[in-house]
Amino acid sequence: MPTAERERIYERADNKGWKKWGPYLSERAWGSVREDYSPYGDAWNYVTHDMARSRAYRWGEEGIGGISDNKGHICFALGFWNHKDNIIKERLFGLSGPEGNHGEDVKELYYYLDSTPTHSYMKMLYKYPQQEFPYNRLVIETSRRGRQEPEFELLDTGIFDNDEYFDIFIEYAKSDQNDWLAKITVHNRSAEVAPLTILPTLWFRNTWAWGYEQYNARPMLNGIGNKQIEVNHKQLGKYKLYCEDADALLFCDNDTNTDRLYGRPNVAKYPKDAINNFIISGGKKSFINPNQIGTKASAQYVRQVPAGGSVTIRLRFSDQTLLSQPFGDFDEIWNKRLDEADAFFADLQKNVTDPELLAIQRQAYAGMLWNKQFYYYNVNEWLKGDPKMPVPFQGRVYARNENWRHMYTANILSMPDKWEYPWFAAWDLAFHTLTLARLDPHFAKRQLAVILREYYMHPNGQIPAYEWNFSDVNPPVHAWATWKVYEIDRDLNGVGDVAFLERAFHKLLLNFTWWVNRKDVSGNNIFGGGFLGLDNIGVFDRSQPLPMGGRIEQADGTGWMAMYTLNMLRIACEISLTRPSYQDMASKFFEHFLHIASAMNNLGKQNISLWDEVDQFYYDVLHTPDQNARLLKIRSMVGLIPLFAVEILDEDLLSRLPDFKRRVEWVLTNRPDLASLISRWHEPGKGETHLLSLLRGHRMKMILKRMFDETEFLSDYGIRALSKYHEQTPYQFELNSEIFQVRYVPAESEMSMFGGNSNWRGPIWFPVNFLLIDSLLKFYQYYGDDFEVEYPTNSGQVMSVKDATVQVAERLINIFRRGADGRIPAYGFDEKMQHDKNFQGLYLFYEYFHGDNGAGLGANHQTGWTGLVADLIEYWYKYQPANMLTTGTEK
């Protein structure tokens, strides 16, 4: 029987109903592209963290543990004051890109602990120091560090050493679609009683101050007595926030303090930072509105939290008038939603038996769901500037995203990370949808559908890359994600959503055509896509013109496009089962794949191949202006990506598609040059299957030999982005007496390419590891147990591709598991995170991981694609030998 939460998920496919209210606030709006109206695109300095408390935002809102409606009009989040800081804690602090020695970096400790897909129950934890927050020290110490040194983190300051901090648990539970409860529980971890001011804050996103006639209606918050805030909003209607046992209600307006920021007279008498000023001043009443009206309001709770003890406050937000007992049924509703959440995950995780893996997977799911955000960006309006602004708009000398004026987004999107990456990123989102599909197939499908819509996709067919530069080129993974989401949805519901598949197929076809027309410069089926999301993996910045001129023909770009053709082929075959005319499209992509495979072996019929017979590996080819060509012999993920181009077609499917089968057989008969490229088509594999792949048996084994070599790609924690071979033997390229070098760097980047906040020269990245695992399992589907490999290379252990693949998945999962030494690799050498009882059972899902020790690096809440660990746990249970699941040897 479906659980209550599963039934709510399927009530409607959009983000309304039970999903109308959710964690849709960003964690950082300051320093973002959308809020940048500077002439030269200096987003980090146009609105800084220091300015954020005083400046009203144009495009979004931010908060700690916040929620909002699905269009971000009414916002709620938590503020705190430890009675030591010189500002209240309304937003998470971190360093901007230029300040960080490895780019932007949040300097806080917080954890997403739980959430259901409809957000009927949610829970997170924020750790707040009792001593003065070390804002300046974090900035100053980081400024002393170079790129060769690690980031200076909040724990490194020692502010948590004596346990002088609060564990603040923020929880929500819904009574109904427009009726939600909030509970904030504060634990004092120190040995002394400690004061804390808690400020649950309700406000409206500012839509009225920018000079647009249709949005000039100002909503209103109104205090009723000392415990209620009445909400009046033209579009959303009336609500009340009930604040149990509040000390006071504080009101101001969500308008910019232009006097503080720009030396200009304020429009609002009680601007956005008035509540901050009231608290920090010790309660100076002239800062807040005595009439208890405004567009921003906080309930004030001043509490003395006992040593080792806790305090709890409760609130309720409802569209119903609950005059007598707004909290009378609070506990009953709360316990019911918590039980329903447990029932939902018990069903979802029914295949997982290890308690540690259950906890890791559930928090990965929680991170995926908390990272939803209302994303609003009208590029045309943004480029022109608004009619009214806090300071006059000076125009844009550098007009970022100038060619994307059609783009108008106002959707709930899955963010990579709501602090470090609180903006749209297309290839990240594609990976998110796999994990999200297990939770909420409607939401996952909607994510893919929306980025393919005409108000996202460029009229020329390009999918926007990411907010900082929509025109950059990310890997074409959306057809793959579309098929994977379709499969997950079909497995959950017993029937496939062919209408979704067909709708996506048409838009993907436009995008595929853009790739062919724009990124195959010579028309020879070899692609040079650019940096392809792999940032600094090459010797040159592949998104920029080469310093010597010429061009690079990319093994990864071409591998991605071969994968794209096979993804489109598989989708077309599936649609053809109900719409036979799509067999023509299946034939088109079958033949296009063959031409790409042919070109990889003979570039433009020049006897140049991306495959190097000496090294038995794929490399990029550099074409210089003097018409010379050379392989760039860097052993990197670039050479592994051709593995992704693999598809299995079984005989039953082909028999149901006679026109497609006839065309395939004609091509194989009449084009033996192309037929020879297909791996053993006429030799059916396991279960009467046929294999389409860029790699036949020998080349596949040679690549796997390198990939499974612990002195090269195979780490104890997954597959490295660059071979460890380059640690002692860096790749060097000399140009005009200057040496360009690629060296194995297992941790943070030592260079500034793409901001230096990520590194593809050695660390372990979950998205490409997941694609490798997914692809190798397809190879196993064809070859079965007969195709054996040595794993690890030179170990003498021989096993099937499946068993080797499962062990790679296990290495990735082990990043989060406590090992025999009692340590969790992701937490590196931080003793408090490793062993302190109040840090146990708390997981962070980092952007990427150290290539040698598995320590987490980069954005520490990028549960987006690192959330794929939840899927890897499912894979591990599905493909692990049965005896491993029953003999107690899971660890």
Side-chain angles (χ1 to χ4, degrees):
M1 295 294 292
T3 63
E5 176 64 15
R6 183 66 68 184
E7 288 181 344
R8 284 192 287 265
I9 291 168
Y10 283 96
E11 282 183 10
R12 55 191 306 160
D14 57 16
N15 291 310
K16 299 178 182 178
W18 275 85
K19 286 183 273 188
K20 179 178 178 179
W21 297 90
Y24 307 142
L25 281 183
S26 177
E27 284 165 356
R28 177 177 62 81
W30 65 269
S32 62
V33 167
R34 283 166 293 156
E35 298 300 331
D36 174 23
Y37 284 78
S38 66
Y40 294 94
D42 186 9
W44 284 113
N45 290 307
Y46 188 74
V47 181
T48 65
H49 177 268
D50 179 66
M51 297 170 68
R53 67 179 180 274
S54 304
R55 190 184 190 281
Y57 292 120
R58 170 68 175 92
W59 298 100
E61 286 291 351
E62 64 192 6
I64 299 173
I67 65 173
S68 76
D69 65 274
N70 62 352
K71 294 299 178 183
H73 287 294
I74 301 174
C75 308
F76 175 89
L78 279 301
F80 308 101
W81 185 50
N82 60 10
H83 295 234
K84 300 281 181 64
D85 290 346
N86 61 3
I87 57 173
I88 62 175
K89 179 68 71 172
E90 289 184 279
R91 57 191 50 78
L92 298 172
F93 175 72
L95 302 184
S96 69
E99 288 175 324
N101 61 326
H102 295 288
E104 61 265 42
D105 186 24
V106 66
K107 301 298 186 184
E108 303 272 12
L109 286 174
Y110 59 107
Y111 304 85
Y112 301 130
L113 301 180
D114 211 355
S115 181
T116 59
T118 67
H119 312 294
S120 57
Y121 175 75
M122 299 168 58
K123 183 178 184 180
M124 72 164 287
L125 167 63
Y126 173 61
K127 290 179 177 285
Y128 184 34
Q130 293 170 4
Q131 298 303 316
E132 184 176 353
F133 195 90
Y135 293 106
N136 290 335
R137 188 179 175 200
L138 287 163
V139 174
I140 293 169
E141 176 59 31
T142 298
S143 70
R144 294 192 181 114
R145 297 193 175 197
R147 294 196 182 276
Q148 284 69 39
E149 297 175 272
E151 294 172 330
F152 184 66
E153 304 294 1
L154 183 58
L155 279 169
D156 296 330
T157 68
I159 200 165
F160 288 92
D161 286 356
N162 297 322
D163 293 331
E164 295 175 340
Y165 68 92
F166 300 107
D167 269 342
I168 304 174
F169 291 90
I170 303 166
E171 297 177 86
Y172 299 95
K174 293 182 183 177
S175 175
D176 206 339
Q177 295 180 9
N178 292 298
D179 185 352
W180 47 261
L181 322 175
K183 181 162 63 175
I184 296 90
T185 305
V186 181
H187 293 266
N188 180 359
R189 300 304 186 191
S190 77
E192 302 288 339
V193 64
L196 179 68
T197 295
I198 308 167
L199 297 162
T201 303
L202 189 69
W203 74 99
F204 300 111
R205 176 167 57 86
N206 188 320
T207 58
W208 56 85
W210 313 102
Y212 296 99
E213 189 68 26
Q214 66 270 36
Y215 299 118
N216 64 1
R218 180 185 285 260
M220 181 64 70
L221 299 173
N222 181 35
I224 303 175
N226 207 37
K227 304 291 189 296
Q228 294 181 34
I229 300 174
E230 186 177 68
V231 180
N232 289 280
H233 193 279
K234 184 177 180 180
Q235 283 81 32
L236 273 70
K238 294 186 176 183
Y239 300 84
K240 284 190 175 70
L241 177 67
Y242 299 93
C243 311
E244 186 179 50
D245 299 327
D247 301 330
L249 300 179
L250 314 174
F251 287 79
C252 66
D253 282 300
N254 186 23
D255 286 282
T256 298
N257 186 339
T258 51
D259 179 49
R260 174 180 180 256
L261 297 181
Y262 310 114
R264 301 165 62 91
N266 281 330
V267 174
K269 185 175 181 180
Y270 308 101
K272 177 180 176 180
D273 52 10
I275 294 172
N276 173 86
N277 297 339
F278 171 82
I279 296 294
I280 298 302
S281 70
K284 191 174 179 181
K285 292 188 177 181
S286 60
F287 282 116
I288 58 173
N289 193 324
N291 296 317
Q292 290 199 318
I293 59 173
T295 51
K296 177 181 177 182
S298 295
Q300 182 184 17
Y301 295 82
V302 182
R303 297 292 184 264
Q304 296 292 324
V305 189
S310 66
V311 299
T312 298
I313 68 170
R314 306 192 302 177
L315 305 103
R316 184 167 185 172
F317 181 90
S318 181
D319 61 353
Q320 303 298 312
T321 299
L322 307 170
L323 293 176
S324 57
Q325 295 288 335
F327 298 94
D329 56 354
F330 191 101
D331 291 339
E332 178 185 352
I333 295 166
W334 197 272
N335 293 333
K336 184 177 182 181
R337 294 296 174 258
L338 189 53
D339 288 344
E340 290 171 352
D342 288 341
F344 172 80
F345 282 106
D347 178 63
L348 185 67
Q349 299 179 285
K350 57 182 175 289
N351 297 325
V352 183
T353 58
D354 183 292
E356 187 179 24
L357 293 182
L358 282 167
I360 294 167
Q361 189 181 54
R362 186 157 173 175
Q363 284 188 42
Y365 286 141
M368 295 295 304
L369 294 167
W370 272 91
N371 268 336
K372 293 180 182 180
Q373 181 183 315
F374 172 64
Y375 184 81
Y376 181 36
Y377 190 16
N378 181 331
V379 177
N380 187 49
E381 281 187 358
W382 178 80
L383 284 167
K384 292 188 300 183
D386 298 308
K388 289 175 63 178
M389 300 188 68
V391 290
F393 182 53
Q394 300 297 316
R396 301 183 187 277
V397 176
Y398 170 63
R400 192 185 301 277
N401 297 322
E402 168 69 33
N403 297 324
W404 293 81
R405 289 181 178 268
H406 71 283
M407 194 165 175
Y408 185 172
T409 68
N411 303 98
I412 302 298
L413 295 182
S414 176
M415 293 292 114
D417 175 307
K418 290 201 295 187
W419 197 96
E420 298 200 29
Y421 300 96
W423 31 261
F424 174 81
W427 90 295
D428 300 65
L429 186 144
F431 291 103
H432 303 180
T433 59
L434 271 69
T435 308
L436 289 167
R438 297 184 186 277
L439 295 157
D440 182 355
H442 284 321
F443 183 74
K445 289 185 288 185
R446 190 175 177 84
Q447 292 294 284
L448 289 167
V450 76
I451 64 168
L452 296 174
R453 289 179 182 169
E454 57 278 4
Y455 46 87
Y456 278 71
M457 180 183 281
H458 197 281
N460 65 20
Q462 184 178 10
I463 293 174
Y466 53 92
E467 185 177 287
W468 287 87
N469 185 0
F470 288 135
S471 294
D472 260 345
V473 183
N474 282 170
V477 292
H478 298 85
W480 171 80
T482 297
W483 177 250
K484 296 295 290 185
V485 168
Y486 173 83
E487 286 188 306
I488 294 168
D489 183 35
R490 183 185 60 193
D491 291 345
L492 280 172
N493 297 298
V495 60
D497 186 352
V498 178
F500 155 73
L501 212 55
E502 186 175 13
R503 183 181 182 187
F505 182 85
H506 286 281
K507 293 299 185 71
L508 289 165
L509 186 59
L510 296 175
N511 178 246
F512 183 89
T513 304
W514 175 85
W515 272 90
V516 170
N517 290 337
R518 294 294 184 93
K519 297 301 177 181
D520 178 8
V521 176
S522 301
N524 62 0
N525 290 299
I526 295 294
F527 294 83
F531 85 111
L532 288 171
L534 308 186
D535 292 9
N536 59 359
I537 201 166
V539 66
F540 304 112
D541 181 347
R542 299 187 302 173
S543 68
Q544 300 296 326
L546 294 172
M548 78 294 288
R551 71 185 190 280
I552 293 177
E553 293 183 312
Q554 297 175 215
D556 55 340
T558 309
W560 286 118
M561 284 302 290
M563 169 185 161
Y564 201 168
T565 59
L566 293 181
N567 299 148
M568 294 293 277
L569 164 62
R570 189 63 189 87
I571 292 171
C573 286
E574 187 75 5
I575 301 172
S576 295
L577 295 175
T578 52
R579 300 284 298 275
S581 61
Y582 278 80
Q583 291 178 83
D584 290 343
M585 297 307 300
S587 300
K588 175 263 184 297
F589 284 106
F590 172 77
E591 294 186 39
H592 204 133
F593 168 74
L594 294 182
H595 290 296
I596 291 175
S598 174
M600 288 189 77
N601 290 315
N602 186 359
L603 301 187
K605 299 182 179 179
Q606 300 174 41
N607 293 318
I608 302 169
S609 174
L610 298 179
W611 175 262
D612 181 53
E613 287 292 347
V614 176
D615 288 355
Q616 298 285 290
F617 201 69
Y618 282 109
Y619 297 119
D620 288 346
V621 172
L622 171 65
H623 293 267
T624 54
D626 58 6
Q627 306 303 311
N628 287 323
R630 60 183 286 188
L631 292 170
L632 297 174
K633 292 193 173 187
I634 306 169
R635 297 180 194 168
S636 74
M637 187 61 65
V638 165
L640 301 181
I641 283 172
L643 281 168
F644 300 166
V646 54
E647 190 51 72
I648 306 296
L649 300 178
D650 61 51
E651 195 60 36
D652 176 65
L653 176 66
L654 291 172
S655 67
R656 298 164 67 190
L657 303 174
D659 293 343
F660 172 60
K661 184 177 182 180
R662 187 164 48 251
R663 178 62 183 172
V664 167
E665 290 174 345
W666 187 94
V667 170
L668 297 180
T669 300
N670 291 277
R671 290 293 305 271
D673 57 321
L674 298 180
S676 65
L677 299 168
I678 301 181
S679 301
R680 299 161 58 183
W681 178 267
H682 292 295
E683 300 175 38
K686 180 183 176 184
E688 295 295 295
T689 59
H690 298 279
L691 178 69
L692 288 169
S693 168
L694 289 176
L695 298 156
R696 288 183 282 181
H698 170 72
R699 287 190 179 180
M700 180 181 169
K701 284 199 171 185
M702 291 300 99
I703 283 188
L704 293 186
K705 184 176 181 179
R706 284 204 189 280
M707 193 172 86
F708 292 153
D709 189 334
E710 293 178 309
T711 67
E712 291 217 33
F713 286 99
L714 183 62
S715 162
D716 287 342
Y717 305 101
I719 304 300
R720 302 176 173 106
L722 185 75
S723 171
K724 196 174 173 66
Y725 164 81
H726 290 301
E727 184 174 42
Q728 301 300 322
T729 313
Y731 176 82
Q732 295 185 335
F733 186 97
E734 184 174 354
L735 176 66
N736 298 329
S737 300
E738 182 178 358
I739 299 294
F740 295 83
Q741 178 174 278
V742 174
R743 182 173 63 85
Y744 175 74
V745 179
E748 292 98 339
S749 176
E750 295 179 351
M751 60 192 306
S752 61
M753 192 183 293
F754 285 91
N757 59 345
S758 71
N759 179 25
W760 287 81
R761 296 188 175 185
I764 295 146
W765 291 79
F766 262 73
V768 286
N769 269 264
F770 188 88
L771 277 165
L772 285 169
I773 288 167
D774 190 59
S775 299
L776 291 180
L777 290 173
K778 285 186 181 179
F779 281 110
Y780 173 74
Q781 184 183 343
Y782 176 79
Y783 287 113
D785 292 326
D786 295 336
F787 188 95
E788 294 180 323
V789 294
E790 186 181 27
Y791 179 91
T793 301
N794 300 322
S795 68
Q797 300 179 89
V798 177
M799 61 187 70
S800 70
V801 171
K802 181 201 76 173
D803 289 344
T805 303
V806 168
Q807 291 199 33
V808 172
E810 185 173 23
R811 291 184 183 219
L812 288 156
I813 294 167
N814 285 343
I815 288 173
F816 302 98
R817 303 181 83 182
R818 198 168 294 280
D821 60 357
R823 307 178 71 86
I824 295 174
Y827 293 150
F829 301 103
D830 195 296
E831 295 304 312
K832 200 160 191 73
M833 295 181 83
Q834 291 286 6
H835 301 300
D836 189 289
K837 67 178 182 179
N838 292 316
F839 282 77
Q840 302 309 293
L842 304 176
Y843 298 100
L844 292 174
F845 300 90
Y846 294 84
E847 184 181 1
Y848 56 102
F849 300 87
H850 194 289
D852 293 336
N853 61 39
L857 303 166
N860 57 23
H861 284 78
Q862 195 154 340
T863 324
W865 57 24
T866 302
L868 286 165
V869 68
D871 296 72
L872 290 178
I873 290 170
E874 291 293 327
Y875 275 28
W876 193 84
Y877 273 90
K878 180 177 180 180
Y879 292 101
Q880 185 67 259
N883 66 317
M884 293 295 291
L885 302 180
T886 58
T887 60
T889 57
E890 287 187 354
K891 290 188 73 173

